[in-house]
């Protein structure tokens, strides 16, 4: 089974990798970890430095994920792209990898906290969805393979 995982090294992405390995280990998956570095909006030297730092961080995260896959004896490869994450993940899935399943972790700004913090988080999530959309909602509307969106808990 060929599985593509959108991977940015975040806590949620690491959980998604672990859950994917747990769920699909018996199917002997070949996992492709795809990270996307967002292009800077302008070409000032400060933005270029931040972009290069992001690329270096993503390479480090992908290397750590590859170690996890090797320890778990799961065949894996990585891909690092540049651009809009939504569009580049769609491009990678449909033009490069052709996975049987795309796995993404639901991005969450959820803080640890009580009722008020959770309520504010839900409000912000809804506002984010209504105004900007999200990577998962963008892909859910366009991807041509099964999409597994894993919660962040």
């Amino acid at each position: 089974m060929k599985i593509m995982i959108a991977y940015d090294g975040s806590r949620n992405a690491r959980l998604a990798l672990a859950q994917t390995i747990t769920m699909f280990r018996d199917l002997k998956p070949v996992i492709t970890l795809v990270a996307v570095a967002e292009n800077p909006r302008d070409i000032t030297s400060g933005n270029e430095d931040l972009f290069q730092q992001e690329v270096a961080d993503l390479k480090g995260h992908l290397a750590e994920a590859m170690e996890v896959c090797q320890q778990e004896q799961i065949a894996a490869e990585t891909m690092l792209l540049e651009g809009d994450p939504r569009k580049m993940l769609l491009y990678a899935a449909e033009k490069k990898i052709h996975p049987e399943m795309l796995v993404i972790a639901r991005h969450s700004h959820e803080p640890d906290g009580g009722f008020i913090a959770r309520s504010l988080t839900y409000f912000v999530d809804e506002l984010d969805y209504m105004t900007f959309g999200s990577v998962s909602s963008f892909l859910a509307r366009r991807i041509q393979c099964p999409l597994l969106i894993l919660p962040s808990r």
Side-chain angles (χ1 to χ4, degrees), residues 12 38 53 75 124 146:
N12 292 347
E38 289 190 67
Q53 182 62 46
V124 170

Side-chain angles (χ1 to χ4, degrees), residues 5-125:
I5 300 176
Y7 195 84
D8 63 1
S10 66
R11 174 185 172 274
N12 292 347
R14 291 191 310 267
L15 288 171
L17 174 60
Q19 290 173 326
T20 301
I21 290 172
T22 300
M23 286 187 291
F24 298 104
R25 175 187 305 282
D26 293 340
L27 298 175
K28 307 237 184 270
V30 175
I31 293 176
T32 303
L33 299 154
V34 179
V36 180
E38 289 190 67
N39 286 333
R41 295 187 189 273
D42 61 50
I43 55 172
T44 61
S45 62
N47 279 340
E48 181 61 23
D49 292 342
L50 290 173
F51 177 71
Q52 292 305 322
Q53 182 62 46
E54 182 182 5
V55 169
D57 290 347
L58 287 172
K59 286 180 180 176
H61 295 314
L62 289 172
E64 291 171 3
M66 285 296 290
E67 287 180 23
V68 169
C69 291
Q70 289 171 350
Q71 290 171 356
E72 298 289 335
Q73 299 178 341
I74 300 292
E77 60 188 11
T78 63
M79 180 181 288
L80 179 58
L81 302 171
E82 297 175 11
D84 181 331
R86 302 172 305 160
K87 294 176 182 174
M88 296 313 293
L89 290 170
L90 183 63
Y91 168 78
E94 296 194 346
K95 302 294 184 189
K96 295 288 185 183
I97 299 169
H98 308 287
E100 294 171 63
M101 178 180 294
L102 171 60
V103 176
I104 59 175
R106 182 179 177 276
H107 183 70
S108 174
H109 304 286
E110 184 173 334
D112 294 331
F115 174 76
I116 293 174
R118 286 194 306 271
S119 297
L120 287 173
T121 298
Y122 293 134
F123 174 74
V124 170
D125 282 350

Side-chain angles (χ1 to χ4, degrees), residues 117-137:
R118 286 194 306 271
S119 297
L120 287 173
T121 298
Y122 293 134
F123 174 74
V124 170
D125 282 350
E126 286 300 315
L127 184 62
D128 187 40
Y129 176 77
M130 289 186 296
T131 56
F132 302 112
S134 67
V135 174
S136 58
S137 64

